[in-house]
Amino acid sequence: MTGVAVAALALTTLAACGSDDDGSSTDDDGGAESADIRVWLNGTDTPQEARDWLKKTFEEDNPGSTLTIEQQEWDGLVEKLTTALSSESETPDVVEIGNTQAPTFTSAGAFSPLTDELDDLGGDDLLPGFVEGATVDGETYAVPYYAGSKYIFYRKDLFEKSGLEVPTTLEEFVQAAATLKKDNPKPANFSGFWFPGQDWRNGAAFVWSAGGDLAVDDGGEWTGSLSSPESVAGLEMAQQLFTESSGAPKDGNEADPWTPFCAGEVGMMSTPGWVKGLLEDPETGCPDGHAKQVGVFALPGPDGEPAPVLLGGSDIAIAAKSANQDLAQEAVELMLSEDYQTLMAEAGLTPARTSLASLLGDDEYAEATVAAASNAKLTPAAPGWATVEGSRALEDLFSAIAQGGDVEELAAKTDEQMNSQLNG
């Protein structure tokens, strides 16, 4: 999404949004009695059990209304949302959006304010960083849906074979990844650490660990910071991993890492906790021999404390153009309810409400989740950050680094590109 598109979106979404063109009926006070509430969920993170519960419970609570879940793909989501949220006839009522993408849409006025409803939705119990990232000029336009800090899944048997212990520093992690690659020459594409070229979300941890940043706010003006000496040092460490440890495609994305992991092609990978369920799935998961050898740990930083990994996850918001504001709010309330969030936690997703964190359990997976989240970071809260993501500037940067490009030159070029996008 370009800056022009954001500006256009801001103008169109400020127009009146009340409409019954979608076929919903209204009562004497003008409120919607019944409607089909369209909820956009992205990817496969939300478990089917939670989807079924939401539809069933909403329709039981609102006789005559229906709830339809429409699955979207993360790739190209920014552009698709830009178009849909600008149209009264095509807009969904409730949307899931990546927490890193939210600032652009909240700044553009694409979502209805939820400030007055925050207490009903969870108030101070909601993940504070997510609420802050979706707040503009004192108004909150989106609320957290779930969080998912990444941590390391590894093959215990391969560690034992190579005489490795779980690394306690980032330097030890890099060395362990190289050792695993060296000790497993077959298959040829084996990864000591699975790190495809476009994977900036995992790559950001190395930038932050070196004291660098993706972008910084200088007196209200956001500028790229990838060419700082600290950031370059982190990018060079990422390049070392690409070169010495990863057999993943140098121009590939991070989708479906469990597939090569279960195929015996990966020693370590950095993924959200919900991947555990995929690895253990009796039909589509790893063979028993691999599944039983899986261990986890939080990526260590240079000082032995957990590395500052990207705090991923999603927000949920009500489209400003939705003709069904009250019913949409009821759907959001259900998605933040204890029953629904419990289903999310059981799937390995960090709940939107901090008081429910214990639902993750107390095994090594829960411990890794908590440790990874303890020092996690968000992407820059710049108004144009979704524009940066939509332009794929960071995918291009890391892919070029993976293919052996000059880190300093590539970082400077990316900063220049981001400088024209970050401020909307």
Side-chain angles (χ1 to χ4, degrees):
M1 180 171 60
T2 65
V4 173
V6 174
L9 177 60
L11 292 174
T12 55
T13 51
L14 290 175
C17 60
S19 172
D20 293 323
D21 292 341
D22 63 351
S24 62
S25 62
T26 58
D27 60 23
D28 292 339
D29 296 324
E33 284 184 344
S34 62
D36 178 36
I37 297 301
R38 297 169 58 213
V39 178
W40 277 17
L41 296 180
N42 306 323
T44 59
D45 293 2
T46 301
Q48 188 61 45
E49 188 177 2
R51 298 172 190 237
D52 294 342
W53 182 91
L54 177 62
K55 179 175 176 63
K56 179 176 181 290
T57 305
F58 177 87
E59 293 178 355
E60 288 177 350
D61 291 350
N62 298 280
S65 291
T66 57
L67 185 143
T68 300
I69 294 175
E70 300 175 1
Q71 183 165 313
Q72 309 299 319
E73 299 305 319
W74 285 109
D75 191 25
L77 178 66
V78 170
E79 294 81 2
K80 191 167 186 179
L81 277 171
T82 302
T83 300
L85 293 172
S86 301
S87 169
E88 291 183 0
S89 62
E90 296 184 17
T91 184
D93 300 286
V94 178
V95 297
E96 174 188 358
I97 186 169
N99 65 306
T100 65
Q101 301 164 337
T104 290
F105 288 94
T106 55
S107 298
F111 301 143
S112 298
L114 294 171
T115 312
D116 293 341
E117 290 76 31
L118 273 181
D119 286 343
D120 292 335
L121 296 173
D124 292 340
D125 196 25
L126 298 173
L127 294 170
F130 283 58
V131 174
E132 180 181 349
T135 299
V136 178
D137 295 332
E139 287 279 7
T140 300
Y141 293 90
V143 287
Y145 182 39
Y146 67 83
S149 296
K150 295 182 176 183
Y151 48 84
I152 305 300
F153 286 71
Y154 74 102
R155 287 273 301 276
K156 293 180 179 179
D157 55 333
L158 297 184
F159 264 55
E160 183 177 356
K161 175 185 171 184
S162 291
L164 295 171
E165 300 289 339
V166 171
T168 58
T169 67
L170 193 58
E171 182 179 0
E172 289 179 3
F173 173 82
V174 172
Q175 292 173 346
T179 298
L180 288 170
K181 174 70 171 172
K182 178 175 176 290
D183 289 351
N184 294 275
K186 295 183 179 180
N189 65 338
F190 183 87
S191 294
F193 174 55
W194 194 80
F195 197 15
Q198 296 182 28
D199 189 7
W200 69 267
R201 292 172 180 83
N202 277 315
F206 302 101
V207 173
W208 289 327
S209 291
D213 214 332
L214 305 179
V216 294
D217 182 2
D218 183 12
E221 184 79 8
W222 285 90
T223 57
S225 185
L226 289 163
S227 56
S228 72
E230 296 82 4
S231 295
V232 167
L235 293 172
E236 289 175 342
M237 178 174 282
Q239 188 172 57
Q240 180 182 350
L241 282 165
F242 284 131
T243 303
E244 300 178 0
S245 306
S246 179
K250 304 303 182 189
D251 59 351
N253 63 36
E254 63 266 36
D256 303 334
W258 47 88
T259 299
F261 188 88
C262 287
E265 299 171 1
V266 174
M268 297 187 289
M269 63 178 179
S270 177
T271 64
W274 54 262
V275 168
K276 172 178 180 285
L278 295 176
L279 300 182
E280 297 176 347
D281 188 283
E283 295 183 3
T284 61
C286 291
D288 282 346
H290 289 172
K292 293 178 180 178
Q293 293 294 337
V294 176
V296 294
F297 60 88
L299 179 70
D303 58 357
E305 296 298 316
V309 297
L310 176 64
L311 181 58
S314 290
D315 291 335
I316 44 177
I318 297 172
K321 291 281 188 181
S322 169
N324 308 298
Q325 297 287 312
D326 291 342
L327 287 173
Q329 184 179 327
E330 290 191 38
V332 171
E333 289 176 3
L334 289 174
M335 295 169 79
L336 291 178
S337 69
E338 183 170 349
D339 287 343
Y340 187 89
Q341 287 290 315
T342 295
L343 296 174
M344 299 288 279
E346 289 174 348
L349 300 167
T350 302
R353 303 174 70 155
T354 58
S355 63
L356 302 180
S358 61
L359 294 173
L360 292 169
D362 57 5
D363 59 11
E364 63 176 326
Y365 291 90
E367 291 176 0
T369 298
V370 173
S374 68
N375 198 26
K377 292 189 64 170
L378 296 170
T379 53
W385 185 256
T387 307
V388 173
E389 289 199 20
S391 73
R392 300 181 63 81
L394 295 173
E395 283 89 347
D396 292 344
L397 168 66
F398 276 84
S399 181
I401 289 174
Q403 295 175 67
D406 184 280
V407 172
E408 290 190 27
E409 290 183 7
L410 291 167
K413 180 180 177 181
T414 304
D415 276 348
E416 183 177 353
Q417 179 179 346
M418 290 197 302
N419 288 342
S420 67
Q421 301 168 329
L422 284 164
N423 297 288

